[in-house]
Amino acid sequence: MLKPGGLPDVYVCNKCRHMYRHFKGDLDQYHAEEYRKNFPTFALEKRVFHIENLLDSLQWIQYYISGRTFLEIGSGDGLFAEKFCEKFKIEKKDYTCCEINPNLAAETAEMGFNVVNDSFLAVENVKADVVIALDVLEHVDDVFSFAKKTADVCNEMLIIQVPVKRDTCNPNPVPGYDDIPPFDGHVHYFSSVSSVKLFESDFKPQFTNITEKNDVANGPEIQLILKKRLEKKKTAPKHKIRFLDVR
């Protein structure tokens, strides 16, 4: 393990405790080509257990999503999409999956879903009433562009889940340390404050929750359901974000 002061590329906001991990490689290329080699998906039984718990926590949205269209960002192999559509009786023609990995995108297309094989930030001419991003946002470097893109794409509801309260290590090799784990693709760790703050100009929180470890993922997660504002919220000028350099 790294000694204290051995995280040269990790920064923490001194106001909201949001953590940023500065990965120095090509993040899109890493996720398209390397991520699943280093971190294959969990066993099917465990994944289904997590998904069913997540869907149970979302049960109440069934009254708001009938007849809607859906876009899932970072849909992987389509397992969540399949379970979501079964749970809420959604037709696959109304559910679009956006996935950067070409192999996973191909699997999802074979399941009958509409599929966009690209980075979400590069997607064009896609709109949906409900946008879903589960354990995706922590993998996106430019979260401000992501938030703006969701506001452009989403008509009504945004469902977000991100990891919280996680230990970390340096995302890049550090000279003299040979035991650093492989980069897990996470460049952001949100706090309950920063996760809401990111979307507040265009979305209003309807539901927030922090799950227990091993409930919907291996560790605790922040869950957000946000409603699109009819008018963009006027916010005060952005303060200059100050980071604590964890070195």
Side-chain angles (χ1 to χ4, degrees), residues 3-190:
K3 300 177 183 177
L7 300 176
D9 302 311
V10 178
Y11 305 86
V12 180
C13 177
N14 66 352
K15 290 192 173 183
C16 67
R17 309 307 298 177
H18 182 101
M19 181 184 291
Y20 174 65
R21 305 171 71 210
H22 179 212
F23 177 61
K24 296 179 180 178
D26 184 320
L27 198 58
D28 280 351
Q29 182 180 15
Y30 175 80
H31 282 110
E33 300 176 5
E34 301 297 329
Y35 175 59
R36 283 304 173 195
K37 294 179 183 177
N38 293 330
F39 296 90
T41 54
F42 296 123
L44 180 60
E45 182 179 1
K46 186 173 187 178
R47 294 178 65 205
V48 170
F49 172 77
H50 286 158
I51 290 171
E52 289 178 346
N53 285 344
L54 171 57
L55 292 176
D56 285 344
S57 72
L58 299 178
Q59 181 71 33
W60 62 275
I61 71 170
Q62 64 182 306
Y63 304 107
Y64 302 93
I65 63 175
S66 177
R68 302 303 195 268
T69 57
F70 301 82
L71 171 66
E72 184 184 350
I73 305 166
S75 53
D77 62 2
L79 181 62
F80 175 82
E82 187 83 26
K83 296 297 182 181
F84 185 91
C85 289
E86 289 176 3
K87 178 81 170 180
F88 297 114
K89 298 178 173 58
I90 306 297
E91 294 188 29
K92 291 182 178 180
K93 69 178 180 61
D94 295 324
Y95 197 107
T96 299
C97 296
C98 177
E99 172 56 48
I100 195 171
N101 183 294
N103 296 325
L104 296 177
E107 287 184 38
T108 308
E110 290 178 1
M111 296 166 67
F113 289 101
N114 306 312
V115 176
V116 179
N117 178 209
D118 208 340
S119 164
F120 173 60
L121 294 180
V123 169
E124 297 180 352
N125 302 318
V126 174
K127 285 273 191 179
D129 298 318
V130 181
V131 173
I132 303 169
L134 306 176
D135 297 299
V136 169
L137 193 52
E138 67 271 20
H139 294 270
V140 178
D141 191 75
D142 186 356
V143 292
F144 298 105
S145 291
F146 184 97
K148 183 179 184 303
K149 185 80 171 186
T150 55
D152 293 339
V153 168
C154 180
N155 294 327
E156 298 180 19
M157 180 184 290
L158 175 62
I159 301 173
I160 296 285
Q161 179 173 288
V162 289
V164 66
K165 301 177 182 177
R166 304 295 180 92
D167 294 330
T168 192
C169 61
N170 208 63
N172 306 295
V174 177
Y177 296 93
D178 299 325
D179 56 351
I180 298 177
F183 175 52
D184 60 5
H186 295 181
V187 288
H188 291 275
Y189 281 122
F190 287 82

Side-chain angles (χ1 to χ4, degrees), residues 186-201:
H186 295 181
V187 288
H188 291 275
Y189 281 122
F190 287 82
S191 67
S192 56
V193 174
S194 67
S195 57
V196 173
K197 188 81 173 173
L198 179 64
F199 297 99
E200 71 172 349
S201 64

